[in-house]
Amino acid sequence: MLDGFISKGWLSYISFGKISTGGWTTDNGTLYCVKEGYKNKFGKPDFEISYLKHEAQHAYDNLMYKKMHPKDMEYRAKLTELIEYPNIKLFKNFLAQADCNINNSHSYASYKIVQNLSKMIFHNEYEADSQKWSRKGKMIRTCSQKLFEENTALLELHKSETIDII
């Protein structure tokens, strides 16, 4: 748990403190958490799932798949969150931040998740209407599990190669 920052970086600065890094993991599996970002959230999904399980998935993937592209790491960590998250709030956040710019690993992973879930649930290329997703929480969790399993199978086939799947 990290605390007492003088500055939390450029993203926090340009967003007037509304956006900043909440945590990260290192190549050796150490998890770092910016304590201030999770005040009053310990024991809740925002911490237990969106920080802890997300970063633990990164730690696992760092150990198992050394050559994984950041967008693929984010894809898997975000799917891990969706599998566990108890409501649709998190998915709607991913829908709002989704961007097809492949150079932004977080937003691109969200885009690919929405795209893949759209194909599975709505049978169309990309469903951007958040209202249509509102009653699909259980399907999102189930389909996210399936996407995660499919992605893991692909990773196992390419384990020793540079991994750039999504």
Side-chain angles (χ1 to χ4, degrees):
M1 288 288 174
L2 304 172
D3 203 8
F5 289 90
I6 295 170
S7 170
K8 290 195 290 179
W10 68 268
L11 189 57
S12 178
Y13 178 77
I14 65 170
S15 69
F16 300 102
K18 292 185 188 224
I19 303 170
S20 66
T21 300
W24 63 92
T25 186
T26 61
D27 288 344
N28 70 2
T30 303
L31 300 181
Y32 291 92
C33 179
V34 178
K35 188 176 180 180
E36 181 183 326
Y38 293 98
K39 279 191 289 192
N40 305 318
K41 295 179 182 177
F42 296 108
K44 296 180 180 169
D46 287 347
F47 178 75
E48 300 285 326
I49 298 169
S50 291
Y51 168 72
L52 199 54
K53 289 187 180 191
H54 179 105
E55 296 303 332
Q57 186 64 53
H58 284 327
Y60 176 82
D61 288 342
N62 275 331
L63 294 171
M64 295 299 294
Y65 312 107
K66 301 276 186 207
K67 300 176 183 179
M68 186 182 289
H69 193 283
K71 66 182 173 43
D72 290 280
M73 291 192 75
E74 285 305 322
Y75 180 79
R76 290 175 57 77
K78 287 175 182 263
L79 284 174
T80 298
E81 289 181 74
L82 288 175
I83 292 164
E84 300 285 334
Y85 216 82
N87 58 49
I88 196 150
K89 178 183 110 175
L90 180 69
F91 175 80
K92 287 192 174 184
N93 288 342
F94 291 170
L95 181 61
Q97 71 178 214
D99 186 349
C100 61
N101 178 355
I102 200 165
N103 296 313
N104 183 336
S105 60
H106 285 82
S107 296
Y108 186 72
S110 293
Y111 172 79
K112 290 304 288 184
I113 287 169
V114 173
Q115 182 181 53
N116 290 337
L117 290 173
S118 294
K119 289 174 184 176
M120 294 173 85
I121 295 171
F122 295 105
H123 308 289
N124 65 27
E125 190 65 26
Y126 192 93
E127 183 54 65
D129 184 350
S130 66
Q131 289 295 69
K132 289 184 179 178
W133 291 99
S134 290
R135 296 183 189 255
K136 302 292 184 189
K138 185 173 177 118
M139 288 181 80
I140 289 169
R141 285 189 292 282
T142 301
C143 291
S144 293
Q145 179 70 47
K146 185 171 173 40
L147 289 172
F148 185 86
E149 290 167 0
E150 289 171 356
N151 185 264
T152 300
L154 285 171
L155 289 177
E156 289 299 316
L157 288 175
H158 302 284
K159 197 171 190 173
S160 63
E161 305 166 25
T162 299
I163 297 169
D164 187 0
I165 295 174
I166 65 164

